[in-house]
Amino acid sequence: MPIEEIEGWELVWHDEFDGDAIDTTNWTYDIGGWGWGNGEAQYYTSRPTNARVDNGLLVIEAHQEKYENSYYTSARMLTKGLREFKYGRFEARLKVPAGAGLWPAFWMLGAHFDRHSEDQQNHWPFVGEIDVMEYIGREPDLIFGTIHGPGYAGAIGLTRWNRQDYPIADDYHTYAVEWDYDGITWFYDGEEYYTLTRDAPGHRDWVFDHEFFMILNLAVGGQFPGPIALDLEFPVALYVDHVRVYQRVDESEEATAT
């Protein structure tokens, strides 16, 4: 399938997952099973069982299995230190898995994020978070677009629901944000559904004027998605057709890409 050209935008990076393996110049992994701050049940691994390229798709697959101290495994892939961008259009075409307790997401964190740093400014939410798409299986017709920053994080993140009249997990959909100095706009299958300007946090800091990296993951359980359905059949998978980053033609020299 040819890559879509968007008037006024230049494609500056993409992964179509057409090779035989995950491109390690684009992606690395978060590893572990400590709940990830949300009470999640899975242990993230870098095994092909949990993340692989198959027939032109990135497959992030969750399994119900005993692994380390967890009873589920999955994968969380990120471009940190490899592909980081300030401003642009960030787009992924995805097919999310159905089932209560599942929590697939396409999102971004400030590039200086370091949970082990002694400097609080390198911690979440001070680095900023842009959730291009979050989906929770107990709400099969709903996706979320959200930002988190200091004073507007977690349950009080600035968010918008986007509800459809069909189960979102039934097909592939394209999720995107367009982000520049003035604000962030969210899109679902090309339709705009949410815009935040830089004054949206009010007296709180707007922390979205630096480089960010991208994350794709499939979480199992946790505070946000709720209990895992007892009849949920594993394995389940998040399928990723492509991830693309565009920058405005007149801003491409100003925006930094690694």
Side-chain angles (χ1 to χ4, degrees):
M1 181 182 298
I3 297 175
E4 179 184 7
E5 293 186 5
I6 304 175
E7 185 176 357
W9 295 87
E10 177 185 2
L11 182 68
V12 295
W13 175 82
H14 63 107
D15 197 333
E16 309 297 314
F17 306 106
D18 290 332
D20 297 325
I22 292 168
D23 187 342
T24 56
T25 68
N26 290 333
W27 302 98
T28 185
Y29 302 85
D30 273 332
I31 306 295
W34 53 275
W36 299 93
N38 304 297
E40 299 163 27
Q42 79 289 329
Y43 193 104
Y44 285 133
T45 85
S46 59
R47 304 177 305 166
T49 300
N50 297 117
R52 61 188 178 274
V53 169
D54 186 8
N55 195 30
L57 298 169
L58 172 65
V59 181
I60 297 179
E61 194 168 81
H63 289 254
Q64 186 175 26
E65 59 177 328
K66 180 68 166 65
Y67 190 89
E68 299 293 340
N69 295 319
S70 301
Y71 289 88
Y72 299 89
T73 61
S74 188
R76 173 159 145 163
M77 301 179 57
L78 53 157
T79 66
K80 182 174 173 58
L82 300 171
R83 309 293 179 181
E84 299 172 346
F85 302 88
K86 178 182 175 182
Y87 305 148
R89 176 183 169 88
F90 298 78
E91 171 187 301
R93 184 171 182 263
L94 313 171
K95 187 175 187 295
V96 299
L102 300 178
W103 184 10
F106 172 45
W107 52 299
M108 302 161 62
L109 282 175
H112 57 293
F113 172 70
D114 180 358
R115 66 173 56 90
H116 304 297
S117 174
E118 295 182 0
D119 186 348
Q120 187 183 45
Q121 296 304 310
N122 295 330
H123 294 185
W124 183 90
F126 298 93
V127 297
E129 175 181 330
I130 303 171
D131 297 327
V132 184
M133 183 283 299
E134 290 182 284
Y135 173 84
I136 53 173
R138 61 182 166 84
E139 296 276 3
D141 57 354
L142 182 67
I143 55 110
F144 301 82
T146 309
I147 60 171
H148 301 272
Y152 50 103
I156 58 171
L158 304 181
T159 191
R160 177 67 54 86
W161 294 8
N162 186 26
R163 195 177 291 278
Q164 307 303 318
D165 58 3
Y166 52 82
I168 289 170
D170 284 357
D171 205 349
Y172 284 86
H173 299 284
T174 301
Y175 306 90
V177 294
E178 293 181 3
W179 161 43
D180 58 22
Y181 177 84
D182 295 317
I184 305 170
T185 298
W186 282 256
F187 297 84
Y188 173 81
D189 284 341
E191 295 293 324
E192 176 184 336
Y193 73 91
Y194 188 31
T195 295
L196 286 172
T197 58
R198 62 184 298 116
D199 60 356
H203 65 280
R204 299 159 297 187
D205 290 340
W206 175 263
V207 288
F208 304 97
D209 291 320
H210 50 257
E211 293 180 343
F212 275 61
F213 63 89
M214 291 165 282
I215 305 171
L216 287 162
N217 71 292
L218 173 55
V220 181
Q223 298 164 7
F224 188 39
I228 303 162
L230 296 176
D231 60 351
L232 184 59
E233 295 185 6
F234 287 85
V236 295
L238 169 64
Y239 296 99
V240 185
D241 179 60
H242 70 248
V243 181
R244 298 172 184 165
V245 179
Y246 300 81
Q247 289 175 336
R248 294 192 188 278
V249 173
D250 59 352
E251 294 179 350
S252 58
E253 293 183 2
E254 300 176 14
T256 304
T258 302

